[in-house]
Amino acid sequence: MTGIRLTAPAPGWSIDADVVVVGSGVAGLTTALRCAAAGLATVVVTKARLDDGSTRWAQGGIAAALGDGDTPEQHLADTLVAGAGLCDEAAVRTLVTEGPDAVRRLIETGATFDTTDSGDIALTREGGHHRRRIAHAGGDATGAEISRALVEAVREAALHTVENALVLDLLTDAEGRTAGVTLHVMGEGQHDGVGAVRAPAVVLATGGMGQVFSATTNPAVSTGDGVALALRAGAEVSDLEFVQFHPTVLFLGAGSEGQQPLVSEAVRGEGAHLVDASGTRFMAGQHELAELAPRDIVAKAITRQMELHGTEHMYLDARHFGAEMWEQRFPTILAACRAHGIDPITEPIPVAPAAHYASGGIRTDLRGRTTVPGLYACGEVACTGVHGANRLASNSLLEGLVFAERIAADIVEDRPSAGAATVGTFPAPSPLLDPEARGTIQRIMTRGAGVLRSAESLAAAAEELEALHNTAAEAAEAKVAVPGVEAWEATNLLLVSRVLVAAARRREETRGCHWREDRPERDDENWRRHLVVRLTPERRPVLRRTRTEAFGPVRPTQAPDCAAAPLIHPADVTEEP
């Protein structure tokens, strides 16, 4: 354990449970429902409302080998190609073999997918898939339908839920085992202010960290809270440098910040073309799948065209769909475009890449267990080894579904008993960052660690982030930053940004969605392996590199398959002892 925690008041109330699930997307609610069905006292904690997580924003769908002629082996092959040599094959095989039945159980829970005239599930294609295997709902509202079904199931099961609650830190017992979490409930309700949920099993399903960048498809709540909590608790994270930038995000103008409207990959799956201002297609000939190449390839191609033409966006042309197809297949995207003055039926859509998905996260095994006993992670916050260097489109909802069921099975089988939490015995808490630094962090990350990276840009980002880190310590002495949601979020953003940049500096190659201008080639001999990061008690990230591309064992002590990483930068990374 690191002994690091956020500066916060002591808990003023508490709830006792067998399991606390943090997050209310497909991963969190599936875990909670399975645990509750097995008779475990389960509490769901979510940062906003139950239906306000990342899942409901998913447009494209959920990938699984459900169609005639499709097989898990074919799904596995496409996933391995997209992952650029860093997928853990055992994890991917688990995903694709257990995925179809997991989707069927989701349907039994109440989710309704679009069907064909014959009553079969309607399937479409997205980038990197050689077959139609994407199930969708409401045309382009798959996530919203899955969220609706799971939220209804949670309410019907009368699960104990705590909404509008920001999780703060992990509670542990004297042996270092998980004993619950501290959290802050925002606004009036049954609970208010800082409290605790005491439970021997904690499942982090907190979603992504897209808000570390200025422009993202992620909702405002995606501030990396789960990864930051895990790091402070002593857990390992892996592959954090692999941030997927979605190629086709509606361009709202230079300097646009915050959550941006996504134009689903399914639009390209149905035949839309990427073109420049003159209407010329530029993906044909660059990849066998053209516009349906893996996302990293498409994002890079768009960025190159933007540089070549000196523009800030390219175009997605789907005028040939016609009004009926737009209105029936993509009503959400059509409405979003029209809300911003663009009519896809009569004109091309201006698009540019934006931060979308963290392929890395808290390192777990195939049962969702982290390196901290009793702490699990699932969904985007986790790194199971499934995604490698670049997530295959629509594998995210499936990963959350499959591994949520596995986590629940492990907790039910283990049924751990609670030890006495040691809250209040930590050393001095971690300094808080002034909330106004949030925008500064986002601009630093966009400029230095965005779609295009280099040794120079990453070094500059590391230096600026380190200055903010030092400023927080100075501000703590002057008591400038007051404990509260905005300060806690800014502090979490800074921590995950520092770790991300440290990993990106260390990976001296281009692979998947990690694009180094100064190291443009993929280097399998030296870099077909994972970077694993932990935090020292002094709040310094320590990196180590696995000896092979295998994900390796996940256990509380340092795994023997890893070698210590050399010192990168005194202000950036501490050398592994």
Side-chain angles (χ1 to χ4, degrees):
M1 304 301 291
T2 65
I4 305 170
R5 64 182 177 90
L6 289 171
T7 299
W13 52 270
S14 67
I15 303 169
D16 291 325
D18 296 320
V19 185
V20 55
V21 177
V22 186
S24 59
V26 63
L29 295 188
T30 300
T31 305
L33 287 167
R34 297 292 184 273
C35 287
L40 296 177
T42 305
V43 174
V44 176
V45 173
T46 187
K47 194 172 178 182
R49 300 185 310 275
L50 272 181
D51 61 352
D52 209 21
S54 294
T55 290
R56 78 180 183 96
W57 296 100
Q59 294 176 344
I62 185 166
L66 297 165
D68 291 340
D70 198 5
T71 64
E73 285 295 325
Q74 293 176 67
H75 190 181
L76 176 122
D78 285 346
T79 301
L80 295 179
V81 169
L86 277 187
C87 294
D88 181 76
E89 187 166 340
V92 179
R93 193 169 295 279
T94 297
L95 178 83
V96 300
T97 55
E98 297 181 12
D101 283 343
V103 173
R104 294 183 184 104
R105 284 188 289 274
L106 179 62
I107 294 171
E108 291 172 2
T109 302
T112 301
F113 291 94
D114 296 340
T115 57
T116 64
D117 293 339
S118 61
D120 297 325
I121 295 176
L123 301 172
T124 188
R125 279 183 68 192
E126 291 187 2
H129 293 273
H130 282 79
R131 282 190 174 272
R132 286 183 171 265
R133 66 167 65 97
I134 316 300
H136 50 84
D140 57 359
T142 310
E145 169 59 17
I146 290 173
S147 179
R148 180 206 60 76
L150 291 173
V151 168
E152 283 190 10
V154 164
R155 288 176 174 153
E156 288 176 6
L159 264 66
H160 189 157
T161 61
V162 183
E163 296 181 287
N164 301 306
L166 172 63
V167 67
L168 299 176
D169 281 304
L170 191 72
L171 296 174
T172 56
D173 62 20
E175 284 71 45
R177 183 181 174 84
T178 293
V181 292
T182 56
L183 63 156
H184 174 79
V185 179
M186 300 165 268
E188 297 179 359
Q190 183 179 357
H191 305 287
D192 198 9
V194 175
V197 180
R198 301 179 186 276
V202 172
V203 182
L204 296 178
T206 54
M209 54 184 185
Q211 291 291 327
V212 301
F213 296 95
S214 296
T216 177
T217 62
N218 291 189
V221 295
S222 299
T223 50
D225 307 315
V227 170
L229 176 150
L231 283 165
R232 287 193 296 271
E236 292 181 339
V237 304
S238 187
D239 300 351
L240 218 61
E241 67 271 32
F242 297 117
V243 177
Q244 187 177 82
F245 285 76
H246 198 288
T248 54
V249 176
L250 182 62
F251 179 74
L252 299 182
S256 295
E257 297 183 346
Q259 187 178 8
Q260 313 287 300
L262 176 66
V263 181
S264 170
E265 198 149 319
V267 177
R268 281 176 281 136
E270 296 291 353
H273 301 144
L274 284 165
V275 298
D276 60 23
S278 68
T280 302
R281 291 180 64 183
F282 54 85
M283 283 305 301
Q286 295 205 29
H287 190 275
E288 61 169 333
L289 296 176
E291 277 88 356
L292 287 178
R295 287 178 176 174
D296 63 309
I297 293 172
V298 180
K300 290 171 186 176
I302 291 173
T303 303
R304 288 192 185 102
Q305 290 294 316
M306 286 160 53
E307 291 183 328
L308 178 65
H309 294 280
T311 61
E312 295 177 302
H313 63 83
M314 286 287 112
Y315 294 92
L316 187 64
D317 192 351
R319 289 174 290 180
H320 54 285
F321 284 5
E324 182 178 356
M325 182 173 178
W326 267 110
E327 290 164 0
Q328 293 184 3
R329 180 68 178 86
F330 301 110
T332 305
I333 298 170
L334 178 62
C337 289
R338 284 177 168 171
H340 292 283
I342 304 294
D343 189 347
I345 297 172
T346 60
E347 59 187 317
I349 307 167
V351 293
H356 182 59
Y357 191 88
S359 293
I362 306 165
R363 193 166 179 257
T364 75
D365 64 10
L366 295 184
R367 303 182 82 173
R369 297 174 293 195
T370 74
T371 52
V372 175
L375 178 65
Y376 297 80
C378 191
E380 189 173 355
V381 74
C383 184
T384 62
V386 160
H387 304 308
N390 183 47
R391 174 177 67 90
L392 180 66
S394 287
N395 267 356
S396 53
L397 291 175
L398 189 70
E399 182 196 32
L401 196 60
V402 167
F403 285 89
E405 294 187 340
R406 290 183 141 251
I407 287 172
D410 191 75
I411 294 173
V412 170
E413 180 183 329
D414 188 33
R415 290 186 181 265
S417 57
T422 58
V423 63
T425 64
F426 291 135
S430 175
L432 293 178
L433 194 63
D434 188 324
E436 292 187 2
R438 178 171 177 154
T440 303
I441 294 169
Q442 293 169 333
R443 287 186 287 275
I444 290 170
M445 293 297 291
T446 299
R447 183 170 59 248
V451 180
L452 284 172
R453 303 167 177 178
S454 67
E456 183 179 0
S457 74
L458 291 167
E463 185 176 350
E464 292 179 87
L465 294 172
E466 185 65 18
L468 288 176
H469 176 73
N470 294 333
T471 298
E474 296 168 2
E477 297 180 6
K479 298 184 177 180
V480 173
V482 178
V485 172
E486 293 181 345
W488 291 321
E489 285 186 334
T491 303
N492 287 339
L493 285 171
L494 177 60
L495 175 54
V496 296
S497 294
R498 291 174 64 227
V499 173
L500 190 162
V501 168
R505 294 184 74 187
R506 183 73 185 99
R507 182 169 292 281
E508 298 176 336
E509 65 159 355
T510 289
R511 180 184 298 272
C513 50
H514 173 67
W515 188 8
R516 286 278 300 257
E517 290 181 284
D518 56 325
R519 302 278 183 170
E521 303 300 323
R522 175 167 150 176
D523 181 359
D524 280 348
E525 182 177 353
N526 294 303
W527 287 109
R528 193 178 175 186
R529 57 201 68 182
H530 302 272
L531 285 174
V532 181
V533 188
R534 64 176 178 83
L535 209 62
T536 70
E538 296 76 32
R539 297 182 294 134
R540 298 290 180 191
V542 174
L543 278 76
R544 56 188 176 84
R545 182 168 47 162
T546 58
R547 295 188 188 280
T548 70
E549 72 276 11
F551 204 55
V554 175
R555 49 178 177 255
T557 54
Q558 182 176 328
D561 69 321
C562 296
L567 187 66
I568 297 173
H569 189 284
D572 194 18
V573 177
T574 305
E575 186 174 11
E576 173 77 291

